[in-house]
Amino acid sequence: MDPFHTYTALSHQELGDRLFQGELIIFSIADELAPFLNRTKQLINKHFGIPDPQKAHLALDEPTYAARASETMTAFERDPEIKSLFFSALETCGVNREENFYDRLVLRIVPCVTSYDKGRQASVKHHRDTWGSNIDSQINWWLPIFPLRKARSIALYPDYWNKKVANTTSDWSFSRYLAEKKATPSGEKIAYPSSPQALESIDEQACFTPELQPGEILTFASAHLHGSKFNLTDKFRFSVEIRTVNIHDVKHGKGAPNVDNAGNVPMYQWFKQIKDDKKLVL
């Protein structure tokens, strides 16, 4: 059974009601996303400097790829036009700029060659994003830049929505991660995980992978177990992700159920208001 439901827009009330019950939602807004996608592809092509960045392994050696990928990701995060275009598109889905706060708009690159899968471009293992933020009302947004196949999409595990997973939330430290990141040379894999990790094997038969196309955004509660689909295709995956928190959800205790998170310090300081980048302060 397909666990995804597609919309063009929802009120925040309805969006929260659906997501915090475990529903996976796809917004289909090709026209609204077109300016953002075009600008992002221009930036990728500029910094990679090759005809097809999706096949970077055929044109660039590992160190050159790592350097250009890092340069591309940094340029993406610092581009004010990209951020403005994305939030304009997100607003059409029903996301209010005053009520919603975001962490970072991130360009992620997942290689299709194991030796390239490291550093900032490394694939991500099974986790719930709430394990790191400890904010049950947090929402994830995820979209591809180029057409996808299931074999290189994001992997979600809806069967684990209410199922406990042994994990490292009781002793994972964000401050230690920052220290390890600072001490790790660019292009090398950080020894300490960027978020708490699962400590048990996950049933891959429970994996769902959406075959999203450019112009579609996947939305899900951050409490959903997910990770990077191991890329078995002949192309790298370029995708964008961001997490948001609605201030009314936070103040009224609205959010997804916490089934296995031992962390107890909400990381509200990660989030800024979409409208003017003011910090989320409660």
Side-chain angles (χ1 to χ4, degrees), residues 213-269:
Q213 301 306 318
E216 298 178 319
I217 304 179
L218 170 66
T219 312
F220 58 96
S222 297
H224 261 298
L225 189 71
H226 63 285
S228 297
K229 179 73 174 179
F230 189 77
N231 191 345
L232 297 175
T233 72
D234 62 348
K235 293 182 178 181
F236 286 23
R237 188 193 82 200
F238 288 78
S239 58
V240 169
E241 60 191 58
I242 193 171
R243 282 146 288 273
T244 61
V245 172
N246 183 282
I247 188 63
H248 297 301
D249 290 344
V250 174
K251 289 184 175 180
H252 293 93
K254 183 177 180 180
N258 175 13
V259 297
D260 54 20
N261 183 9
N264 58 11
V265 180
M267 306 298 282
Y268 295 126
Q269 68 268 28

Side-chain angles (χ1 to χ4, degrees), residues 63-80:
T64 303
Y65 159 73
R68 294 191 186 181
S70 180
E71 178 183 288
T72 303
M73 295 163 70
T74 298
F76 175 87
E77 292 185 33
R78 293 178 178 175
D79 191 312

Side-chain angles (χ1 to χ4, degrees), residues 7-281:
Y7 304 92
T8 55
L10 288 173
S11 68
H12 178 75
Q13 175 70 38
E14 187 171 9
L15 178 64
D17 288 345
R18 291 176 178 275
L19 294 182
F20 299 146
Q21 292 179 22
E23 188 171 321
L24 303 171
I25 289 174
I26 294 174
F27 286 101
S28 182
I29 52 169
D31 290 344
E32 292 82 357
L33 274 172
F36 165 78
L37 293 172
N38 290 336
R39 173 68 177 171
T40 300
K41 284 186 281 190
Q42 289 173 1
L43 183 146
I44 292 171
N45 290 329
K46 172 186 175 182
H47 289 278
F48 267 84
I50 55 178
D52 187 359
Q54 295 180 91
K55 294 191 174 183
H57 58 298
L58 302 180
L60 306 172
D61 58 28
E62 292 176 33
T64 303
Y65 159 73
R68 294 191 186 181
S70 180
E71 178 183 288
T72 303
M73 295 163 70
T74 298
F76 175 87
E77 292 185 33
R78 293 178 178 175
D79 191 312
E81 183 180 352
I82 280 180
K83 185 184 294 185
S84 176
L85 291 172
F86 179 78
F87 285 135
S88 291
L90 203 61
E91 197 168 22
T92 68
C93 299
V95 177
N96 182 289
R97 292 174 181 261
E98 293 189 12
E99 297 176 358
N100 286 276
F101 295 70
Y102 73 101
D103 57 353
R104 292 166 58 222
L105 185 63
V106 176
L107 175 68
R108 187 177 294 281
I109 308 171
V110 178
C112 60
V113 180
T114 302
S115 60
Y116 287 67
D117 189 16
K118 58 188 177 182
R120 292 183 68 193
Q121 296 79 47
S123 53
V124 181
K125 297 180 180 179
H126 306 98
H127 67 287
R128 307 184 198 271
D129 279 8
T130 49
W131 283 352
S133 68
N134 304 313
I135 303 174
D136 295 330
S137 58
Q138 182 177 300
I139 293 173
N140 282 35
W141 305 80
W142 189 96
L143 65 153
I145 300 303
F146 301 102
L148 277 188
R149 289 168 51 194
K150 287 182 178 290
R152 67 171 183 272
S153 185
I154 188 173
L156 297 112
Y157 301 82
D159 288 355
Y160 285 84
W161 176 251
N162 286 311
K163 183 178 180 180
K164 291 184 179 180
V165 175
N167 61 75
T168 61
T169 53
S170 62
D171 55 14
W172 178 80
S173 167
F174 180 60
S175 59
R176 179 177 173 184
Y177 164 70
L178 290 180
E180 293 278 356
K181 180 180 179 181
K182 184 177 181 180
T184 302
S186 177
E188 292 187 15
K189 188 176 180 63
I190 302 171
Y192 194 76
S194 60
S195 63
Q197 303 292 302
L199 291 174
E200 63 181 81
S201 60
I202 303 301
D203 180 10
E204 293 302 327
Q205 295 299 315
C207 174
F208 282 95
T209 52
E211 197 168 66
L212 269 69
Q213 301 306 318
E216 298 178 319
I217 304 179
L218 170 66
T219 312
F220 58 96
S222 297
H224 261 298
L225 189 71
H226 63 285
S228 297
K229 179 73 174 179
F230 189 77
N231 191 345
L232 297 175
T233 72
D234 62 348
K235 293 182 178 181
F236 286 23
R237 188 193 82 200
F238 288 78
S239 58
V240 169
E241 60 191 58
I242 193 171
R243 282 146 288 273
T244 61
V245 172
N246 183 282
I247 188 63
H248 297 301
D249 290 344
V250 174
K251 289 184 175 180
H252 293 93
K254 183 177 180 180
N258 175 13
V259 297
D260 54 20
N261 183 9
N264 58 11
V265 180
M267 306 298 282
Y268 295 126
Q269 68 268 28
W270 292 354
F271 292 83
K272 298 172 291 185
Q273 190 176 36
I274 293 177
K275 178 184 176 181
D276 55 17
D277 275 355
K278 289 183 179 178
K279 289 283 188 178
L280 174 56
V281 179

